């Protein structure tokens, strides 16, 4: 066991077919943080979760491969968010109305393990952000956002200069913060487009928001150093089969088109 921080930095993926149990679990001193979720079917059953009906009966039913529910994420938040572990039986009744009766469905969940104790720091655009830990402890970056979020930032209030309030975030903020600060006792970086690029339209004010912990255990580089937005191709499953990784990318494309 390489230390709970190195485990918490990963993106986890779990899945279950209808009639199976899905089980999410996080290491000690962390809790589940749901990133995104999908329930339905967008690939044929011969690729994932084969039909439980006899083949002769299954051929009479046209399988729906454009089937999903909009309540999947909220249900996962209700069942698992901020818990150490959760387990439940997957079926259409759990999510409300069945979007495609007669078609076998499956649940896929993307989640992280959030440390119970963490710190958050914000720097407005062009200001310097400084992180530091006490002696014998080092920085472990959990998340980083550079850009503009819908909720904005109390530390960096949005000044309306005629620009629309559009959410925009750098895709490389987390990787850069890990490279610059992860495993060090202290570090600093400017919240600037020079460092992170400009993910927004010109003129939109941005800020850098970093969540981190100080840990005194030996740290390994995280397996997954991808930014965790909701359901994008960066949310590839960790430690799963090639078929699951392919499905993750298919889901990402489907969600983007939707």
């Amino acid at each position: 066991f390489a230390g709970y921080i190195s485990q918490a930095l990963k993106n986890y993926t779990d899945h279950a077919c209808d009639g199976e149990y899905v089980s999410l679990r996080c290491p000690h001193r962390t809790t589940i943080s749901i990133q995104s979720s999908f329930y339905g079917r967008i690939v044929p059953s011969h690729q994932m979760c084969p039909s439980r009906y006899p083949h002769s009966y299954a051929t009479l039913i046209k399988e729906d491969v454009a089937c999903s529910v909009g309540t999947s994420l909220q249900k996962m938040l209700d069942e698992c968010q901020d818990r150490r572990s959760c387990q439940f039986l997957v079926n259409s009744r759990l999510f409300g109305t069945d979007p495609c009766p007669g078609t076998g469905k499956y649940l896929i969940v993307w989640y992280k393990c959030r440390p119970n104790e963490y710190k958050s720091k914000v720097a407005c655009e062009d200001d310097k952000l400084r992180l530091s830990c006490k002696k014998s402890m080092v920085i472990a970056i959990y998340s980083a956002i550079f850009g503009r979020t819908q909720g904005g930032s109390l530390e960096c209030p949005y000044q309306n200069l005629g620009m629309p309030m559009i959410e925009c975030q750098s895709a490389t903020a987390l990787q850069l913060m890990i490279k610059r600060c992860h495993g060090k006792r202290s570090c600093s970086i400017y919240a600037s487009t020079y460092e992170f690029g400009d993910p927004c339209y010109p003129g939109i004010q941005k800020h850098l928001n970093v969540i981190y912990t100080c840990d005194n255990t030996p740290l390994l580089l995280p397996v997954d150093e991808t930014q965790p937005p909701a359901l994008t191709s960066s949310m590839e499953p960790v430690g799963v089969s090639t078929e699951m990784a392919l499905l993750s990318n298919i889901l990402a494309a489907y969600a983007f088109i939707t």
Side-chain angles (χ1 to χ4, degrees), residues 235-249:
M235 292 293 294
E236 284 194 2
V238 176
V240 296
S241 65
T242 303
E243 289 79 6
M244 279 298 299
L246 174 62
L247 178 61
S248 175
N249 290 332

Side-chain angles (χ1 to χ4, degrees), residues 49-64:
C49 294
S51 173
R52 292 180 296 171
Y53 298 114
H55 180 71
S56 58
Y57 177 72
T59 56
L60 299 177
I61 303 175
K62 182 172 176 58
E63 189 172 61
D64 190 342

Side-chain angles (χ1 to χ4, degrees), residues 3 13 22 36-37 41 54 70-71 78-79 126 128 141-142 149-150 153 159 164 186 200 212-213 218 239 242 248 254:
T13 301
V22 66
S36 58
S37 175
R41 177 173 291 281
T71 58
D78 294 341
E79 294 286 339
D126 295 327
K128 181 181 283 188
I141 301 295
Y142 175 72
T149 57
Q150 288 288 357
S153 168
Q159 298 176 10
S186 64
C200 307
Y212 69 103
T213 61
T242 303
S248 175
Y254 174 77

